[in-house]
Amino acid sequence: MARRALTPYDKPMHGELEVPGDKSISHRAVILGSIANGTTKISNFLDGEDCMRTVKAFQLMGVSIVKQESTIIIEGKGTSALKEPVEPLYFGNSGTTTRLMLGILAGLPYFTTVYGDASLTKRPMDRVINPLTEMNAIIDGRNDGSYLPLSIRGEALQGITYTLPVKSAQVKSAVLLAGLFANGETKVIENTPTRNHTENMLQAFSAAISTDGRETTITNTQTLTATNVYVPGDISSAAFFLVAGAIVPGSKLTLKNVGLNKTRTGIIDVLQAMGADLQITNQQVSGGEEFGDITITYTELSSTVIEGDIIPRLIDEIPILALLATQVEGTTVIHDAEELRVKETDRIAAVVDVLTTLGANIEATDDGMVIHGKTALTGGEIKSYNDHRIAMMGAIASLITKDDVILDDDSSIYISYPNFFEHLKDITI
Ligand code: S3P
């Protein structure tokens, strides 16, 4: 636990940063590399606490995974070489590890128990357990099997057709991963598109998967073929510096090699709708994932409405977008974001609390928030709620506050952005 005082910085920021690898893609690369046959080399892997939970889980199941700086090398020997873990798997704060691993563990012939930290223990798991149970999985846990700790007894699974009742890529991914082991076909239908990294990566590892509009179908593929993966920078991490460039007058920042998968770029659409000066250059594709450099040049912005199908495309960026909304003229309204209530913390309540403490004019609604700009932010003592994205939002706010921002605890930042404060320092000297 580390308390941190952040001093306001009222000069333009200039510079280039390469944000760490994408969290969602890093998890998926470890999962597929660990069950595939052959050597998988993952470069620009996110060395954050969450992704290391996934690494540790497979190491406990006997997979050789070696880390050399930001490269991970996995010697995959297929699912038949995995071992039943002799100890419970600890997933820390990581919802992605938990939900995706449930999809894998449900189809392996082992008994496993899984648990997590206080935040993860409060997050709903029935959204994943329900479809997996329909596939024949045997999963039990606290509160009628809806919350961690959970036990999983792997079973012969049966393919299903499942329409997602929640806008969740984690649920979609759990069902598709279980579909690798299930008899016949497994089909997932989503009414609102969510991030499709699992689909892209299953394709790259030669699974029998296809997507047609909003339906994705996978057929039993016991043997995946290893492949090398380059993990682009995480747009959810870049988001903090995109907003920094958008709120500090005179700034110009370039974020290099940032993932630009269309299911994740809602923040770019919102910034453009607000009138931001954004340039995207050096666009490339690797493993089905687009990436490129984003340059933001400060300009006055105006308010917008964020709702509907764009929400899953920017769900993790809403805390930092709320900070941005405090610095633009007019009222910004965010709707349809009720999923924020079940993230690492209730992010609607946390964002409203932190920004109110800093002097913003913001109200919570059931499914989002209403922010009246533009307000001068004061500074003050804020709570991170043990949530990395709330802590980083508070740190970025300090760039423009009148007085210091005191963060009660900055340790959650290691979850997704271990070198965040170094990067903040690089552009504020
Ligand atoms: C993620 C999906 C999203 C997101 C989370 C990562 C993933 O969660 O908020 O940070 O990697 O699939 P939901 O699926 O719960 O929306």
Side-chain angles (χ1 to χ4, degrees), residues 23-24 28 96 99 167-170 195 315-316 343:
K23 180 155 83 69
S24 296
R28 286 151 172 86
T96 309
R99 297 195 177 118
K167 297 172 272 190
S168 166
Q170 293 176 354
R195 65 191 68 194
I315 188 73
D316 293 340
K343 293 292 176 191

Side-chain angles (χ1 to χ4, degrees), residues 138-267:
I138 302 184
I139 304 177
D140 205 354
R142 196 168 55 82
N143 210 329
D144 275 336
S146 344
Y147 292 95
L148 264 57
L150 297 171
S151 67
I152 304 107
R153 182 166 292 286
E155 263 299 316
L157 301 179
Q158 184 57 48
I160 54 167
T161 294
Y162 192 68
T163 303
L164 288 180
V166 275
K167 297 172 272 190
S168 166
Q170 293 176 354
V171 177
K172 172 176 66 174
S173 301
V175 177
L176 291 175
L177 291 171
L180 282 172
F181 311 114
N183 240 325
E185 247 181 34
T186 299
K187 197 188 286 280
V188 181
I189 304 169
E190 52 181 357
N191 294 320
T192 309
T194 62
R195 65 191 68 194
N196 64 355
H197 306 301
T198 302
E199 296 90 309
N200 290 343
M201 200 163 292
L202 280 165
Q203 192 101 50
F205 278 79
S206 310
I209 183 167
S210 63
T211 299
D212 182 8
R214 296 199 170 170
E215 284 186 20
T216 299
T217 308
I218 187 161
T219 34
N220 185 301
T221 322
Q222 293 283 350
T223 314
L224 296 180
T225 308
T227 184
N228 292 339
V229 179
Y230 164 71
V231 183
D234 197 327
I235 192 165
S236 300
S237 298
F240 295 99
F241 292 103
L242 288 174
V243 169
I247 61 177
V248 180
S251 297
K252 181 171 181 178
L253 295 175
T254 297
L255 289 317
K256 308 273 291 175
N257 298 324
V258 180
L260 295 171
N261 178 317
K262 301 273 183 305
T263 63
R264 296 284 301 282
T265 49
I267 184 166

Side-chain angles (χ1 to χ4, degrees), residues 4 39 90 121 124 195 232 246 251 300 307 338 428:
R4 185 182 282 260
T39 306
Y90 180 61
T121 304
R195 65 191 68 194
S251 297
E300 293 263 346
E307 62 184 359
E338 61 285 341
T428 52

Side-chain angles (χ1 to χ4, degrees), residues 133 232 346:
T133 304
D346 174 343

Side-chain angles (χ1 to χ4, degrees), residues 44-60:
N44 202 34
F45 178 78
L46 170 61
D47 183 14
E49 280 174 13
D50 268 18
C51 296
M52 291 312 292
R53 302 290 176 203
T54 303
V55 168
K56 187 79 199 296
F58 280 107
Q59 284 173 329
L60 283 172

Side-chain angles (χ1 to χ4, degrees), residues 9 34 61 68 90 121 126 139 141 144 146 162 168 175 179 195 203 265 270 275 277 280 362 368 400 409 424-425:
Y9 184 83
S34 297
M61 293 165 79
Q68 293 164 350
Y90 180 61
T121 304
D126 46 352
I139 304 177
D144 275 336
S146 344
Y162 192 68
S168 166
V175 177
R195 65 191 68 194
Q203 192 101 50
T265 49
V270 166
D277 179 352
I280 297 179
I362 178 168
I400 52 160
D409 182 5
L424 190 59
K425 199 164 154 220

